[in-house]
Amino acid sequence: MSTAVATRAPLGRQLRSELRWILRRPRTVIGLASLCLVPILAGVGLWFSVTDGSPPEGPGISAIIGGNGLALPVFTLFLALPMLLPLVAAIWSADGIAGEAQHGTLRGLMISPVGKVRLLAIKSFGIATMSVLAVALITVVGVVVGVLLFGGDGLLTLSGSTLPFGAGLGRVGLTAVLVVVQMWGVAAIALAISTCTEHPLVVMASTLAGTIVFTVLGLFDSLSWLRPYLITSTWEGLADVMRDPLPTGQLWNATAVAGCYILVGLSLAVIRLSTKDN
């Protein structure tokens, strides 16, 4: 009499398979390569603006870029956060569930012994890992380009003080971590939308439209009571990472708001996927 054998694949193998599946898609490679171009183009543009000896025109971090190479990755991350990073997060979230449904492979995954919650966890891991990779690429390329074009003796902060190279690099890393968390918040909502449709374009359009609407709502003084609940309204406060000493109030607030979006988005995705017909 034959004995039953376990049919569930090891979790590590499933996670590696998910990452390979994402990285092998041509649009993933194109998207990551395009993100690498952002700090290069921004650095070259700012370099041309300071070749005449005058500081570049612009608010905030862009005004202190001259001779301050470590400011370039921070500037680039803030430049990509309002639109580019939410877009790539939405693409990966759309492919994770809606893309599988569109190609007819989601049904097979849902009736497999993997389990619906486990399946969502694997998809979430892939999206989270790719978000880290996207931000890391922008950061690394930004640091290299910034040091080559503007020097890297230290980091001039918005407060007027100069941090040594090591401390400045730490601020760059902190910025990357904060941006990743914000990206996860957007991706979690996109993943929840992805469980409700079979069309990836709907997920991407809804996520970008929501980002734009949130940004517009945050501009009205009459809706100031709503700003604490809008994830986009906290992004401006992330610039405090470039101040010395480091104020943590707005940084913690932005992280907490993004954490709430992650919790709500994943909870809605679990509820929807658990009730989804096989």
Side-chain angles (χ1 to χ4, degrees):
M1 188 174 183
S2 60
T3 58
V5 295
T7 57
R8 176 177 291 184
L11 180 60
R13 183 188 303 175
Q14 292 175 331
L15 296 177
R16 290 192 298 271
S17 176
E18 178 68 16
L19 290 179
R20 285 195 299 267
W21 179 74
I22 297 175
L23 289 171
R24 287 177 178 175
R25 292 199 298 261
R27 59 179 170 272
T28 298
V29 178
I30 295 174
L32 293 176
S34 300
L35 290 177
C36 291
L37 290 176
V38 176
I40 296 175
L41 296 176
V44 171
L46 290 171
W47 182 80
F48 276 112
S49 68
V50 299
T51 52
D52 58 356
S54 60
E57 297 181 358
I61 300 173
S62 63
I64 62 172
I65 197 70
N68 194 22
L70 288 181
L72 179 62
V74 178
F75 171 73
T76 306
L77 287 172
F78 290 158
L79 183 67
L81 182 58
M83 191 62 65
L84 292 179
L85 291 178
L87 175 60
V88 295
I91 291 174
W92 291 324
S93 299
D95 286 336
I97 302 296
E100 296 273 16
Q102 185 182 53
H103 292 91
T105 56
L106 181 61
R107 184 178 299 273
L109 291 173
M110 293 182 65
I111 63 177
S112 67
V114 172
K116 296 179 181 179
V117 176
R118 185 184 177 99
L119 172 63
L120 184 63
I122 294 172
K123 295 296 183 181
S124 301
F125 170 81
I127 297 168
T129 303
M130 294 305 299
S131 300
V132 173
L133 178 59
V135 173
L137 286 175
I138 293 178
T139 304
V140 172
V141 175
V143 169
V144 173
V145 173
V147 170
L148 290 177
L149 294 181
F150 304 105
D153 295 335
L155 176 64
L156 178 63
T157 68
L158 293 175
S159 302
S161 60
T162 301
L163 299 176
F165 182 81
L169 203 58
R171 292 294 182 93
V172 174
L174 176 60
T175 305
V177 172
L178 294 172
V179 171
V180 165
V181 175
Q182 301 303 313
M183 198 173 174
W184 285 348
V186 175
I189 299 300
L191 190 61
I193 300 174
S194 185
T195 61
C196 301
T197 181
E198 298 181 355
H199 304 285
L201 288 178
V202 173
V203 181
M204 290 182 281
S206 300
T207 304
L208 290 181
T211 302
I212 294 172
V213 170
F214 278 23
T215 302
V216 173
L217 291 177
L219 299 177
F220 292 98
D221 292 335
S222 59
L223 297 176
S224 58
W225 58 270
L226 188 61
R227 289 175 186 167
Y229 307 102
L230 303 177
I231 188 172
T232 55
S233 297
T234 65
W235 291 348
E236 185 177 351
L238 295 179
D240 281 352
V241 76
M242 288 290 292
R243 303 189 187 279
D244 184 41
L246 179 66
T248 59
Q250 294 194 71
L251 302 183
W252 279 115
N253 177 64
T255 303
V257 171
C260 291
Y261 274 77
I262 294 172
L263 180 61
V264 170
L266 292 181
S267 299
L268 293 175
V270 169
I271 294 172
R272 173 55 183 161
L273 200 63
S274 298
T275 58
K276 200 176 184 67
D277 295 335
N278 291 336

